[in-house]
Structures are given as C-alpha cells and as structure tokens.
Amino acid sequence: QVQLVESGGGLVQPGGSLRLSCAASGSIFSIRATHWYRQAPGKERELVAVISSLGTTNYADSVKGRFTISRDNAKHTVDLQMNSLKPEDTAIYYCNADDIQGTAYWGQGTQVTVSS
C-alpha cells in the first residue's frame, strides 16, 4: 500500500508561480512512476507530468516549458514547480503513483486557482 498526500495549492495571479508537493509513505520502494494529474470544472482529468523511478520525465504539451516535475528520494516527495501560470491552469491537482504490480494510488487533491 502507498499513501499520497498533496500540499502547496492556493490562489495565485496570472503569471505567478506555485510549487506542489506529493509526499509518499508506505511501500514506497514499489513505486514505478509518479504522476501529476489535474481536473478542471466540467472537464475530464488530464495528465500533466510524470516522473519514473529512474528520473525520466514527460509533460503535457500545455505545460511544457512552464512546469517542472522533480523527485527527492531522501524525503520521498515528488514536486511540481509551476511557473507562468495561466487561468486555464485552474484545477484540482492530484498526485498518482503506480506500483510494480500495476496498482494505482491517488492523493486527495489540492486546489490551484489562477485568477486576478
């Protein structure tokens, strides 16, 4: 079992920055990859960024060049640095992890609102 807790959401003006953090506990050695998803009101959940256990990263086209995903193995955290935020980035952001057996785990989500 893996437990995920997100933090760092909030209200920010367009052009601003936020840093989200996903803290993992439990069977963290079994995690194969960690993802950040987001879901805006009335829209489907979409993949924002992913980082594998080897550190390989990938991003949605809509956030490339603005968001950076990183991991701290000592702290068991995966962060999402979000710069140049736009109103369309407003959503609930969820941390997700897959383990080596293919089981998916989700955090509770954290709200990000980009508004002037």
Side-chain angles (χ1 to χ4, degrees):
Q1 290 286 326
V2 175
Q3 294 78 44
L4 303 172
V5 178
E6 302 100 333
S7 61
L11 173 65
V12 63
Q13 293 186 343
S17 298
L18 277 177
R19 188 176 185 91
L20 306 183
S21 187
C22 173
S25 60
S27 301
I28 56 175
F29 63 90
S30 69
I31 295 175
R32 185 175 55 185
T34 305
H35 311 76
W36 280 98
Y37 284 82
R38 66 186 181 187
Q39 187 165 19
K43 294 188 177 181
E44 294 190 356
R45 193 170 295 189
E46 64 171 345
L47 178 63
V48 175
V50 56
I51 186 166
S52 73
S53 58
L54 298 178
T56 303
T57 60
N58 207 352
Y59 300 88
D61 287 344
S62 60
V63 306
K64 280 181 181 177
R66 300 188 298 123
F67 291 12
T68 303
I69 190 170
S70 61
R71 64 189 308 135
D72 185 326
N73 291 329
K75 295 181 179 179
H76 309 307
T77 57
V78 171
D79 289 355
L80 185 69
Q81 177 66 42
M82 306 186 294
N83 298 328
S84 302
L85 283 161
K86 305 174 182 179
E88 51 263 44
D89 294 318
T90 296
I92 300 175
Y93 284 70
Y94 297 91
C95 180
N96 161 278
D98 298 330
D99 70 13
I100 55 177
Q101 294 180 322
T103 302
Y105 302 91
W106 292 89
Q108 81 285 357
T110 186
Q111 177 70 47
V112 171
T113 302
V114 185
S115 175
S116 55

